Amino acid sequence: MRYFGVIGSPIHHSLSPLIHNFLFSYLGISAHYDKFDIPSPSLLASTLQSLSGANITLPYKEEVFGLCDEVRGFAQEVEAVNTVLCRNQKLCGFNTDGLGFWECIKNLELKTALVLGAGGSARAIAMMLKKQGVDTMIYNRTPSKVDFFLSRGIGVLETLEVKEVDLLVHTTSVGLDGKSLPYQQEKLQSLVSKAKYVFDVIYPSQKGIVGIDQFRDFFLSRPKTAFLGLSSQGMDGLEMLLYQAFFAFEIFCDGQYCFEELKALFYNSLK
Ligand code: ATR
């Protein structure tokens, strides 16, 4: 039996165990995936080394980048890791957030984007948008955290100006409670009204989703996140969660299963 998990804090809301355990069981793989609430970064390395692989969520994606013995692909560009493989006590880091996000929005016509927040998710999203030729800006509450973006040619707004953009993406951790907003509501409301498309990386959470049947009901009739409550339409982070998980699963299984087949089998089970 191999052991995997998602590491972060808070972590109680995470649906990653459900997704990965469903795939392990459906594919007959002897593995189990759990949640690890790590209150202090000092416990990250030992927790990672006790597992075959892991996903990393807030607030540790940048911290884990620094802990990895080797970093591959897009994670090198974003300097943030959301997927780790552990072999012989060596940690190898990847980032599947950027690809997971792109899978959600790749059919939209986008020229400009504004990303709210400057954490690990914002890095992956802003870098992916830039890579795909979208003119991308970010805004963050704490200006000292924006150097990464400036040094990669991503524009930084010093104040939260209301401007027209094709895509507005919310990536801050505010709203996990289902009701809080990161900045002044009126300002956000005006920003949302000027955006063609709105994306919130947060997904609504609900207690008691332990099996695929409960997940199906939730997937089909989930409530809006606090941020999307400001908009008449918009995408929450649930599909991004699924897509980054399928890309991570591909890595956990050494490419034995590909994204498209994992997506198809998971979605078929929701019908
Ligand atoms: P993730 O890995 O999911 O991106 P993270 O790295 O912990 O999470 O980043 C959290 C983001 O939420 C940061 O942009 C943070 O802003 P600061 O750099 O100013 O801390 C943002 N955030 C967290 N709490 C916030 C709050 N109360 N108001 C506004 N932004 C907040």
Side-chain angles (χ1 to χ4, degrees):
M1 173 79 100
R2 293 193 298 152
Y3 292 94
F4 296 85
V6 56
I7 297 176
S9 192
I11 200 67
H12 57 87
H13 66 286
S14 177
L15 292 172
S16 293
L18 185 147
I19 303 166
H20 288 275
N21 284 328
F22 171 80
L23 292 172
F24 284 138
S25 143
Y26 190 97
L27 295 165
I29 298 169
S30 172
H32 185 72
Y33 188 108
D34 235 320
K35 292 179 204 177
F36 296 87
D37 193 327
I38 301 287
S40 139
S42 61
L43 296 168
L44 281 171
S46 56
T47 308
L48 282 165
Q49 279 162 351
S50 70
L51 298 167
S52 296
N55 290 117
I56 313 300
T57 188
L58 62 93
Y60 297 130
K61 291 176 186 176
E62 289 131 280
E63 192 95 26
V64 169
F65 170 81
L67 287 177
C68 286
D69 298 286
E70 187 192 343
V71 175
R72 293 205 193 147
F74 191 56
Q76 287 177 330
E77 290 172 50
V78 298
E79 298 185 4
V81 156
N82 82 321
T83 302
V84 175
L85 266 188
C86 181
R87 298 258 162 85
N88 306 320
Q89 304 295 300
K90 297 264 188 249
L91 304 178
C92 183
F94 303 81
N95 190 304
T96 68
D97 282 337
L99 274 180
F101 170 73
W102 186 248
E103 281 295 318
C104 298
I105 59 144
K106 64 183 183 186
N107 294 323
L108 305 180
E109 282 258 329
L110 300 176
K111 287 201 177 72
T112 56
L114 173 61
V115 176
L116 304 176
S121 308
R123 283 185 180 198
I125 286 172
M127 291 292 282
M128 181 53 78
L129 286 166
K130 181 164 186 273
K131 213 178 160 92
Q132 302 292 343
V134 181
D135 183 4
T136 304
M137 310 269 302
I138 68 140
Y139 171 77
N140 193 47
R141 171 185 64 168
T142 311
S144 60
K145 300 220 191 122
V146 301
D147 291 355
F148 171 89
F149 298 86
L150 283 173
S151 67
R152 272 123 183 122
I154 293 167
V156 174
L157 292 181
E158 282 175 18
T159 53
L160 192 52
E161 299 159 29
V162 174
K163 56 201 313 284
E164 280 192 9
V165 284
D166 293 332
L167 177 67
L168 177 67
V169 190
H170 170 240
T171 75
T172 83
S173 46
V174 182
L176 287 172
D177 62 0
K179 48 183 195 257
S180 306
L181 294 167
Y183 318 121
Q184 206 198 8
Q185 179 164 346
E186 294 70 40
K187 197 47 122 10
L188 287 174
Q189 189 79 65
S190 316
L191 264 176
V192 161
S193 68
K194 296 262 183 195
K196 244 193 238 169
Y197 305 103
V198 181
F199 190 102
D200 187 359
V201 296
I202 289 180
Y203 56 88
S205 74
Q206 190 176 298
K207 281 196 182 129
I209 306 176
V210 287
I212 198 76
D213 293 333
Q214 288 135 332
F215 183 83
R216 181 186 306 113
D217 295 343
F218 171 69
F219 186 79
L220 296 174
S221 60
R222 59 196 189 267
K224 275 186 168 187
T225 61
F227 191 77
L228 292 184
L230 301 169
S231 167
S232 56
Q233 46 76 42
M235 285 166 268
D236 67 24
L238 193 57
E239 296 220 271
M240 178 175 164
L241 175 84
L242 290 172
Y243 295 165
Q244 64 76 34
F246 302 151
F247 283 118
F249 196 90
E250 227 184 80
I251 294 169
F252 293 153
C253 297
D254 288 323
Q256 204 183 338
Y257 306 97
C258 73
F259 173 84
E260 290 301 341
E261 74 186 299
L262 295 166
K263 181 179 169 187
L265 81 81
F266 193 89
Y267 275 75
N268 280 339
S269 70
L270 297 181
K271 282 181 187 157

